[in-house]
Amino acid sequence: MYRVLVVDDEENIRKIVRKYAEFDGYEVTEAANGMEAVMICRDADFDVIIMDVMMPELDGFSACKEIFKTKHIPVIMLSARGEEYDKIHGFELGIDDYVVKPFSPKEVMMRINVVISRNNKSALDKNGHEILVKEGLEIDFTSRTVTVDGINISMTPKEFDLIFYLAKNKGIALTRENLIRDVWGYDYYGDDRTLDTHIKLLRNSLGEYRKFLVTLRGVGYRFEA
């Protein structure tokens, strides 16, 4: 049975997520603030965490930082605010998804299912040593590493997924719909700017080699290499 930790200072939010998650067969634990979530994660493991941003004691971003020091648990952030800064900050920390309140419980469950499925299958995706080199950019698909001018680049898991997918389909015009479906693993019903946010983060990570990531206006993106 998969285990879900729901962290929110609003009891009604915790109850509605628990109701739907338990209906789908998940085991649910609740925390009323970030500090409580950190303490719980020190003694227990979870398959996914649903984490609110604005909470007393310790906010969601700070709680994630503490948890990530010792645990690698996928996180879906909940927030009443949908500003790009908040999303970028969350993705830079390494969260998997971001949901703006008010939300549909069914949509949250869909995202929980996808995040858990993706993380459980990720170790099975390696099928041989494969490296792409273009000027000072080197992408190692097997070891999941990216180096720029010989320096290993630290990126979030989703940035790695995105650069690997783009590079493996180099020279091909990829629509936004294809990228969201194949990289995120489902038809994305939320804010489609999530893709644009990740592209922005990825370009920042690639430095001068962002030039290989070409925007196709009205279509999507293409990796030129």
Side-chain angles (χ1 to χ4, degrees):
M1 179 182 292
Y2 293 121
R3 304 186 66 195
V4 178
L5 174 62
V6 182
V7 189
D8 200 303
D9 59 323
E10 296 183 48
E11 184 178 2
N12 288 338
I13 295 293
R14 301 199 307 271
K15 284 184 176 180
I16 192 66
V17 175
R18 172 186 282 275
K19 176 182 177 181
Y20 277 78
E22 289 183 339
F23 181 81
D24 279 3
Y26 292 103
E27 179 182 333
V28 180
T29 301
E30 297 182 25
N33 57 66
M35 186 68 72
E36 185 179 350
V38 172
M39 299 300 292
I40 290 174
C41 287
R42 288 178 179 175
D43 300 320
D45 290 318
F46 297 92
D47 296 285
V48 65
I49 298 174
I50 309 300
M51 179 79 73
D52 186 32
V53 173
M54 303 301 294
M55 293 183 293
E57 300 290 338
L58 196 67
D59 66 85
F61 292 138
S62 299
C64 284
K65 285 183 181 179
E66 290 301 314
I67 293 171
F68 290 164
K69 288 179 181 179
T70 57
K71 299 286 180 71
H72 299 286
I73 305 174
V75 174
I76 299 174
M77 299 295 293
L78 299 179
S79 177
R81 306 189 308 177
E83 284 86 349
E84 183 182 36
Y85 170 80
D86 286 341
K87 294 183 180 181
I88 291 176
H89 185 43
F91 290 133
E92 286 178 336
L93 286 177
I95 70 166
D96 285 63
D97 209 344
Y98 192 105
V99 179
V100 178
K101 297 178 180 179
F103 57 82
S104 161
K106 291 182 179 180
E107 178 186 347
V108 171
M109 289 312 306
M110 177 190 71
R111 299 190 187 207
I112 289 174
N113 294 335
V114 169
V115 166
I116 289 179
S117 175
R118 182 172 63 238
N119 279 273
N120 285 338
K121 293 189 294 186
S122 60
L124 303 177
D125 294 335
K126 299 176 182 178
N127 56 4
H129 194 68
E130 185 178 3
I131 296 178
L132 183 150
V133 178
K134 182 68 174 179
E135 297 182 17
L137 174 66
E138 179 175 303
I139 301 173
D140 190 324
F141 299 99
T142 305
S143 63
R144 286 182 66 84
T145 59
V146 176
T147 59
V148 171
D149 295 329
I151 300 175
N152 190 57
I153 302 301
S154 176
M155 296 192 292
T156 66
K158 189 52 61 185
E159 285 180 78
F160 278 120
D161 291 342
L162 188 56
I163 186 62
F164 291 156
Y165 184 82
L166 287 162
K168 285 192 174 184
N169 291 277
K170 60 182 183 295
I172 299 175
L174 300 169
T175 66
R176 297 171 60 84
E177 291 76 14
N178 284 342
L179 284 165
I180 291 172
R181 184 192 65 229
D182 294 338
V183 176
W184 271 257
Y186 60 97
D187 291 327
Y188 191 72
Y189 295 108
D191 187 353
D192 64 3
R193 287 183 298 178
T194 294
L195 173 60
D196 297 329
T197 298
H198 279 84
I199 291 290
K200 181 177 180 179
L201 290 171
L202 184 56
R203 282 176 166 151
N204 290 339
S205 297
L206 296 179
E208 66 173 293
Y209 302 114
R210 68 180 66 195
K211 63 186 179 182
F212 299 139
L213 187 50
V214 179
T215 299
L216 304 175
R217 295 191 179 280
V219 179
Y221 299 92
R222 180 177 64 241
F223 191 85
E224 300 257 357

